[in-house]
Amino acid sequence: MDFQMIGMLCAATGAVVVVPEYSLAPEAPFPVALNQMELMYRCVAGGGLGYLPSQIILVGESAGANLLASLTSRVVQDDRLLQPSGLVMGYPALNLALSPSPSRALHFCDPLLSYGITRCCVDAYTPQGLSVAMLPEVSPAFTPEHILACFPPTYLQTGGMDPLLDDSVDFYTRLQRVLPLEQHARMTKLEIYRHLPHGIWGVGHWLPEARVAMEQVCEWCVDLLKQGQE
């Protein structure tokens, strides 16, 4: 995650922000990074920072958001663990099977995330091929509904010119489908910044609209912390 975003989160929430470093593909393909993230979560939730946290909010972008969605799927199935108070994902890569979609067709010339770059990253992370890329822990877009129904409040943010736009839209739609209607407004949000590409949180220094998006993430986290205290 971009250091500017990390600093803004610290200032807005007053919370301890943990930024784990996980092993990268191709040296460490799936599931190495996900397993490391789970170990980190268990460590923090179990008092590894020197105290027992009252709340945990998961915040990540792009491939990191992919890992957090998969991590959430694991955590919600273990009722012995402190459950996250919220999940905030920026322009997440949720379908590594690269299924055809309108946003991919229109925007895979994105300067930060072209098709060639995406294909190389997916092949490095899942050298076993499509059979692995379609696993829910690799592509959270395929998370079973009974697990999605256990997710904490989940907020998504993406750019309207991002080739991964449809990943967020589809995931948001699936979350709404498994939630009671009266919980929609509190449990899930989707914000699309129409004129922004992939990587919003890394360009706040140059694009005013991206700065607004980053400030919204901070507001979301503050709200999630307040909800968790209710």
Side-chain angles (χ1 to χ4, degrees):
M1 191 187 299
D2 184 83
F3 283 117
Q4 183 185 15
M5 185 77 256
I6 295 169
M8 291 174 64
L9 286 171
C10 291
T13 64
V16 174
V17 177
V18 178
V19 186
E21 291 189 10
Y22 49 83
S23 300
L24 302 177
E27 292 79 11
F30 172 82
V32 175
L34 179 57
N35 290 342
Q36 292 173 343
M37 292 291 287
E38 182 182 2
L39 286 173
M40 173 61 73
Y41 187 94
R42 290 181 179 275
C43 176
V44 171
L49 297 179
Y51 62 92
L52 290 173
S54 58
Q55 297 188 68
I56 295 177
I57 295 176
L58 301 173
V59 184
E61 59 179 331
S62 195
N66 170 290
L67 289 175
L68 291 185
S70 298
L71 172 64
T72 302
S73 294
R74 288 188 177 184
V75 171
V76 298
Q77 296 180 78
D78 188 347
D79 56 14
R80 299 168 299 176
L81 274 175
L82 173 67
Q83 295 297 303
S85 297
L87 170 62
V88 178
M89 296 189 288
Y91 36 95
L94 299 175
N95 185 343
L96 299 194
L98 300 183
S99 307
S101 75
S103 68
R104 286 185 171 82
L106 290 170
H107 302 304
F108 250 144
C109 58
D110 184 291
L112 297 178
L113 195 69
S114 67
Y115 178 80
I117 292 174
T118 305
R119 182 78 267 171
C120 287
C121 292
V122 171
D123 289 346
Y125 188 55
T126 59
Q128 304 92 331
L130 184 61
S131 60
V132 172
M134 295 189 68
L135 293 175
E137 286 195 343
V138 175
S139 293
F142 304 120
T143 302
E145 289 190 352
H146 72 277
I147 296 178
L148 281 180
C150 299
F151 265 46
T154 300
Y155 299 168
L156 300 106
Q157 189 185 84
T158 188
M161 300 180 69
D162 190 332
L164 302 183
L165 165 64
D166 291 337
D167 289 26
S168 292
V169 173
D170 291 346
F171 200 74
Y172 172 75
T173 302
R174 293 197 65 213
L175 284 168
Q176 288 204 317
R177 189 180 302 138
V178 301
L179 292 170
L181 182 61
E182 63 273 12
Q183 294 185 17
H184 284 186
R186 182 179 70 86
M187 292 295 291
T188 183
K189 300 182 187 294
L190 171 64
E191 189 73 33
I192 301 173
Y193 288 82
R194 296 292 178 185
H195 305 295
L196 292 180
H198 190 76
I200 295 173
W201 298 354
V203 294
H205 288 295
W206 303 284
L207 299 179
E209 192 176 7
R211 176 75 184 198
V212 171
M214 295 166 71
E215 291 172 350
Q216 182 185 55
V217 170
C218 295
E219 292 170 2
W220 280 352
C221 289
V222 170
D223 289 344
L224 287 168
L225 288 171
K226 291 179 179 178
Q227 288 183 33
Q229 295 173 350
E230 295 175 356

